Every structure is written in C-alpha cells, then in structure tokens.
Amino acid sequence: MATCKVSGQESGLPSSTRAEAEDLELTELGPLLEVGRERKGQTSTCGNENQAAKVTQEEEEEEVRVLTLPLQAHHAMEKMEEFVYKVWEGRWRVIPYDVLPDWLKDNDYLLHGHRPPMPSFRACFRSIFRIHTETGNIWTHLLGFVLFLFLGVLTMLRPNMYFMAPLQEKVVFGMFFLGAVLCLSFSWLFHTVYCHSEKVSRTFSKLDYSGIALLIMGSFVPWLYYSFYCSPQPRLIYLSIVCVLGISAIVVAQWDRFATPKHRPTRAGNFTSHHLQQ
C-alpha cells in the first residue's frame, strides 16, 4: 500500500517537477557523457591517424618504387650498352655505302667494304688489322710515318762534318722531316678513327688537312734554301709567300663547313692551287 502511495505520489508529480528532475539527472551524467564522447573522438581520431599513416606510408613506398624504376632501367641500359660494345668490338662486318650515315659518306665511288660507326677508340685501332676501304690509307701513312721519323732522327744525329753549314742545314732538313712526320701521323690517325663519331671525324679531318699544308710548307724549305743558296733576299721572299699560303690553307681547313663531303672538290682545289702557286 505504501509503495503504491509513493508511486502514486511520484506519478502524481507535476510535469514541471519531472522536467527539473530529468534536467538534474542529465546534469549529473553530463561529465560522464562528455568523457564517453571524448573517448569515442579519441578512438576515431586515432583510427584516422593510423589510416592516414598507412596511406602516407603507402604513398612513400609508391614514390620509392617510382624513383627506383628509372634507376633500374638506367642501369639495365648501361649494362646493355656495355654488352653491345663488347660484341661490336669483337665482331663487325663491312657495310655498303648506302647504309652509312651521312657524316661517313665521303667517297661515293667506293660502294662496298666500309666500316660501320665504331663505339670506341679501341675498336677503331683494332680495325687496322681488318680489310676495309681504309686499310690501305692507314698502313701506307703509318709505315711512311715510321720511315720519315727514323730518317729524320738519323739525319739530325749525323756528324757535323757531313754538312757545310751544320746548324742551318739541320734546321732546313728538320723543317722538312717535321712537316712529313706531322702530315703522315695526322693522316693515319684520321683514317683510323674517323668512323668513331661525327665530332671525332671532324676534328681529325681538320688535323689531316693541316698536316698536308705543313708538309707542303716543309717540303719547300730545302728546295728554296739550296735553289737560292747565294741569294738570301729572294729566298726570304719566297719562304714568306710559302708560309702565308700554308697558314691560309690551315685556317680555311678549320671551318666545319669546309670538312663536309659536299666541299670535297673545294678542298682538293684549294690544296692543288696552293701547291701550284708555290
């Protein structure tokens, strides 16, 4: 009965009183609810951070893969190039004129037997022992270089009793042998390595034509010296003309346009006129 009364009384409370009681309960439970919300927020934040860390780690791994792939490809290409170089140096075949690159097409009258572009100087120098269009040029100039070098040293070492004016005549013959040695050395080097690359071919082509001019100049020194042995003034004039023409030919030979196959007749005409004028 008491219980019923109490419950009746509680149920009989006014609505305003019940609302106050509920607000009181919510107020008391507020900190607990906030703590629960914070824990949920922390849990969700930790989950988001872990997820973000995983995403960041995956992105870093992906970036590492992206950066590693080009390096691996680069190393693979280097190994492939080394392999190709070794094979190329060991085994190669002569090719026809039509297959040559434009910078190697210097003589269109030689249709077969050309060397392909070589990947290294070692391969170029090893090619002198093979048969191709430059074999004759290489060996004739190489043997001539050795011969004139030997004769030049032998002449310079001869006793002074074999000369009427030892110092002057040794200088005169030294100029001749120097021009011959430089011309033949530049020439055999050019014919050996000109198939290496376009830049190397152009550089040694300039040296080759410069050597030809030096040989022409040096070959005229003994002739003019003994022809005008008793006439120093005309000898000096002719020597000056020879030097001016030779230096002009060397300067012209340094032009890149002058070294192209298109100007082969121009080069031949320049050196022929230089020789005839002298």
Side-chain angles (χ1 to χ4, degrees):
M1 294 293 292
T3 304
C4 292
K5 288 181 181 180
V6 172
S7 60
Q9 290 177 356
E10 290 178 355
S11 60
L13 290 174
S15 58
S16 59
T17 306
R18 286 199 303 271
E20 291 177 359
E22 291 176 357
D23 292 339
L24 180 61
E25 291 177 356
L26 291 174
T27 303
E28 293 176 353
L29 294 174
L32 298 176
L33 294 175
E34 290 178 358
V35 170
R37 289 172 184 172
E38 289 179 357
R39 289 179 178 176
K40 289 181 180 179
Q42 290 177 356
T43 303
S44 62
T45 303
C46 292
N48 292 333
E49 290 179 354
N50 293 332
Q51 187 176 2
K54 290 180 180 179
V55 172
T56 304
Q57 185 177 2
E58 290 177 356
E59 290 178 354
E60 291 178 355
E61 291 178 354
E62 188 68 24
E63 290 178 358
V64 170
R65 292 195 197 99
V66 171
L67 293 174
T68 305
L69 287 175
L71 294 176
Q72 293 176 351
H74 180 68
H75 292 310
M77 289 296 295
E78 287 183 349
K79 292 181 180 179
M80 182 61 68
E81 288 179 0
E82 291 178 0
F83 174 75
V84 171
Y85 284 177
K86 291 180 180 179
V87 174
W88 198 284
E89 291 180 7
R91 299 176 60 186
W92 55 270
R93 295 181 179 178
V94 294
I95 58 178
Y97 176 84
D98 297 335
V99 185
L100 291 173
D102 292 336
W103 56 273
L104 279 178
K105 292 182 177 179
D106 186 64
N107 192 342
D108 51 357
Y109 294 101
L110 299 175
L111 302 180
H112 302 284
H114 295 274
R115 288 176 300 174
M118 296 292 181
S120 67
F121 287 104
R122 179 182 177 184
C124 293
F125 283 101
R126 289 179 63 181
S127 69
I128 67 177
F129 301 103
R130 298 278 298 272
I131 303 299
H132 46 81
T133 55
E134 296 296 336
T135 304
N137 289 327
I138 292 171
W139 281 103
T140 53
H141 291 90
L142 177 57
L143 295 176
F145 161 73
V146 175
L147 176 62
F148 276 93
L149 181 61
F150 173 76
L151 293 176
V153 173
L154 186 63
T155 302
M156 295 298 105
L157 295 178
R158 292 186 68 181
N160 293 336
M161 58 181 297
Y162 291 98
F163 301 95
M164 297 187 64
L167 180 60
Q168 294 182 3
E169 293 186 11
K170 284 188 176 182
V171 170
V172 168
F173 283 106
M175 296 295 291
F176 166 72
F177 284 111
L178 179 63
V181 168
L182 289 176
C183 175
L184 293 170
S185 61
F186 290 158
S187 186
W188 85 266
L189 286 173
F190 164 69
H191 289 291
T192 300
V193 303
Y194 91 101
C195 63
H196 180 277
S197 62
E198 185 175 3
K199 182 179 180 180
V200 171
S201 174
R202 189 175 300 170
T203 301
F204 280 87
S205 176
K206 295 175 183 178
L207 291 176
D208 185 27
Y209 289 116
S210 300
I212 295 173
L214 291 174
L215 175 59
I216 295 174
M217 295 167 61
S219 63
F220 270 87
V221 173
W223 182 78
L224 292 174
Y225 177 79
Y226 287 105
S227 297
F228 297 92
Y229 192 82
C230 298
S231 304
Q233 187 173 0
R235 180 176 60 194
L236 180 61
I237 294 174
Y238 277 108
L239 284 174
S240 300
I241 295 174
V242 169
C243 291
V244 170
L245 293 175
I247 293 173
S248 64
I250 293 174
V251 171
V252 172
Q254 304 309 306
W255 295 349
D256 292 335
R257 183 179 179 182
F258 183 76
T260 58
K262 179 181 178 182
H263 291 274
R264 186 173 64 238
T266 307
R267 296 195 298 268
N270 178 51
F271 285 99
T272 301
S273 62
H274 177 206
H275 183 74
L276 291 177
Q277 287 175 6
Q278 292 180 6

